[in-house]
Amino acid sequence: MATRTDAPTRREQILKEAARLFAERGFHGVGVDEIGAAVGISGPGLYRHFAGKDAMLAELLVGISGQLLTGARRRVAEAEGDSVDRDAGAVLDSLIEGHIDFALDDRPLITLHDRELDRLRDSDRKLVRQLQRQYVELWVGIVREVYPGLAEPTARSAVHSVFGLLNSTPHLGRPGSLPGRGAMAQLLHRMARGAFEAAGTD
Amino acid sequence: MATRTDAPTRREQILKEAARLFAERGFHGVGVDEIGAAVGISGPGLYRHFAGKDAMLAELLVGISGQLLTGARRRVAEAEGDSVDRDAGAVLDSLIEGHIDFALDDRPLITLHDRELDRLRDSDRKLVRQLQRQYVELWVGIVREVYPGLAEPTARSAVHSVFGLLNSTPHLGRPGSLPGRGAMAQLLHRMARGAFEAAGTD
DNA sequence: CCTTCAGGTTAACGACCGCTAACCTCCCTG
DNA sequence: CAGGGAGGTTAGCGGTCGTTAACCTGAAGG
């Protein structure tokens, strides 16, 4: 994985600021002038980089869903490589870890991800939903390996619930009195495993 | 608790429909004409009942927060009455049950509750936040009784996370292939307890 | 040195939206 | 039976917002 070292392009600046603003005030609550101002250009200058406001949101949401899915697939594949009969529990831990990293490091994106999906054009929304569904099903498969007693609908609900738990970080106030990032990650990880454990033992 | 049997007033109809629409498409995404149409009157007729669109959102959010807090206080008080040294675990179970009932029965309100808070006037927002804070602190107190080892910031984060878990039901697709309401409530309850348990045992 | 083009700018248009004004109709009550 | 208020209606104003048009500029390339 080649980590980027070059400067971010203007497009990327715009996307980042747009994500932050959309998360803060909602898609309809942010004007294009504001987005422009956030990157030092003003208003219609954005149209040199994007077809429109909708296009920014679409690119953000498709990007997020894709990243989540790609990361999860990579983690599963890595575990497959390790041994013939892998430890499903370890894979689940890895998935949880990946999702937590995302939730903690890209809060605005996580917020957008389950908040503004309906503002997309039909085709984009279908694509995002498909990526999301694949991500969920990947989790469901692993969870049911770890807890074979879980029926599929139950496992799916459990996975959604754990996503809710892990994605809850945006609701925390400004990084004041709460645990540091490392402690928070550990806490969330333990709680997620505990929740699955409780779901898996009827 | 006198359960209502009389017909809902127009105000209540409007609030209910507005909640649904706001949850579906966001506060800014819904026009007053749509809200009016949803209750069979059109557009400006709403202004006979509310001072403005903002007032509807405010009344919704204050109402939700208040109901949650009131219900939780009642549950705690009932447990206090039962015995001198009550079973804190049972109180926690009762709180969880109440929150689940709310999340399952009033999905749109739960969605609004942590999504549109920023659209309120300053004074209303302060009020809602204060009610929310009291609700959280009430939970934190009970949780720390059940798991005395938990530091306060950790407990608070855990409570927020469990709220995320319990509030995750809106993200589930239309009531198709997922567990029925009773099974869902049981599943959520077990997962919430499991998550707290995992948080409480470092 | 001329051209081109990427990446800006400001002005302005058109649509939409929240809200008000003005008016209309029942229904209740003295 | 007058009249008045509750609860509607439609027309329209004013502001905002996404988008387009027209223009500018500085740097790269032949």
Side-chain angles (χ1 to χ4, degrees):
Chain A
M1 177 180 51
T3 35
R4 310 241 341 224
T5 150
D6 47 337
T9 73
R10 177 97 315 165
R11 268 183 73 89
E12 290 168 329
Q13 287 181 46
I14 295 172
L15 283 177
K16 186 180 164 192
E17 294 303 307
R20 184 179 55 80
L21 289 168
F22 288 160
E24 278 175 11
R25 298 210 290 286
F27 180 67
H28 291 294
V30 180
V32 289
D33 290 358
E34 276 176 284
I35 303 174
V39 296
I41 73 183
S42 232
L46 296 171
Y47 287 76
R48 298 283 166 199
H49 304 275
F50 294 93
K53 203 179 150 195
D54 300 352
M56 300 180 208
L57 182 64
E59 188 155 330
L60 281 172
L61 292 186
V62 172
I64 305 161
S65 316
Q67 264 183 259
L68 274 175
L69 180 57
T70 304
R73 281 189 173 145
R74 181 171 42 76
R75 293 182 118 92
V76 173
E78 279 168 5
E80 304 273 357
D82 281 359
S83 59
V84 181
D85 60 341
R86 66 188 180 186
D87 178 1
V91 181
L92 181 55
D93 278 328
S94 178
L95 286 180
I96 293 172
E97 190 186 312
H99 196 105
I100 289 176
D101 284 345
F102 207 79
L104 290 180
D105 298 335
D106 294 288
R107 283 202 212 185
L109 292 184
I110 278 286
T111 302
L112 283 187
H113 183 249
D114 60 14
R115 200 165 287 202
E116 306 283 2
L117 184 59
D118 310 319
R119 281 71 174 169
L120 257 51
R121 282 174 33 226
D122 271 25
S123 62
D124 290 323
R125 187 170 54 246
K126 265 186 189 166
L127 173 55
V128 172
R129 274 210 223 275
Q130 183 186 325
L131 293 169
Q132 286 182 344
R133 197 169 343 118
Q134 292 181 72
Y135 184 65
V136 171
E137 293 310 315
L138 197 149
W139 276 68
V140 169
I142 301 295
V143 167
R144 294 190 70 203
E145 275 188 55
V146 182
Y147 304 101
L150 269 185
E152 194 175 303
T154 311
R156 190 151 30 235
S157 295
V159 167
H160 271 110
S161 300
V162 167
F163 287 169
L165 187 153
L166 298 179
N167 294 350
S168 66
T169 43
H171 307 313
L172 299 176
R174 295 284 151 222
S177 61
L178 52 104
R181 133 118 220 189
M184 193 68 201
Q186 281 183 30
L187 176 65
L188 287 174
H189 198 130
R190 267 185 290 137
M191 292 181 76
R193 281 309 297 254
F196 277 134
E197 185 75 32
T201 61
D202 309 87
Chain B
M1 174 180 52
T3 36
R4 308 245 338 230
T5 152
D6 48 336
T9 74
R10 179 87 328 158
R11 268 183 73 88
E12 290 168 329
Q13 287 181 46
I14 295 171
L15 282 176
K16 186 181 165 193
E17 294 304 308
R20 183 178 56 79
L21 289 168
F22 289 160
E24 278 174 12
R25 298 210 289 287
F27 180 67
H28 291 296
V30 181
V32 289
D33 290 357
E34 276 176 286
I35 303 175
V39 296
I41 73 183
S42 232
L46 296 170
Y47 288 76
R48 300 282 166 198
H49 304 274
F50 294 92
K53 201 179 150 193
D54 300 352
M56 300 180 208
L57 183 64
E59 188 156 331
L60 282 172
L61 292 186
V62 172
I64 305 161
S65 316
Q67 264 183 259
L68 275 175
L69 180 57
T70 303
R73 281 189 173 146
R74 180 170 43 76
R75 294 182 117 92
V76 172
E78 279 169 6
E80 303 274 358
D82 282 358
S83 60
V84 181
D85 60 342
R86 64 186 180 187
D87 179 1
V91 181
L92 182 54
D93 279 327
S94 178
L95 287 180
I96 293 172
E97 190 186 311
H99 197 104
I100 289 176
D101 284 345
F102 207 80
L104 290 181
D105 298 334
D106 295 287
R107 285 203 212 184
L109 293 184
I110 279 286
T111 303
L112 284 187
H113 184 247
D114 59 16
R115 200 166 285 201
E116 307 283 1
L117 184 59
D118 309 320
R119 280 71 176 170
L120 258 50
R121 283 174 33 225
D122 272 25
S123 61
D124 291 323
R125 187 170 56 246
K126 266 185 189 166
L127 174 55
V128 172
R129 275 211 223 274
Q130 182 187 326
L131 293 168
Q132 286 182 344
R133 197 169 343 117
Q134 293 182 71
Y135 184 65
V136 171
E137 292 312 316
L138 197 149
W139 275 68
V140 169
I142 302 294
V143 166
R144 293 190 71 203
E145 275 188 56
V146 183
Y147 304 101
L150 269 184
E152 194 175 302
T154 310
R156 189 149 33 234
S157 295
V159 167
H160 271 109
S161 301
V162 167
F163 287 169
L165 187 154
L166 298 178
N167 293 351
S168 66
T169 44
H171 306 314
L172 298 176
R174 294 284 150 224
S177 62
L178 51 105
R181 135 117 219 189
M184 193 68 201
Q186 281 183 30
L187 176 65
L188 288 173
H189 199 130
R190 267 185 290 137
M191 292 181 76
R193 281 308 298 253
F196 276 134
E197 184 75 34
T201 61
D202 309 88

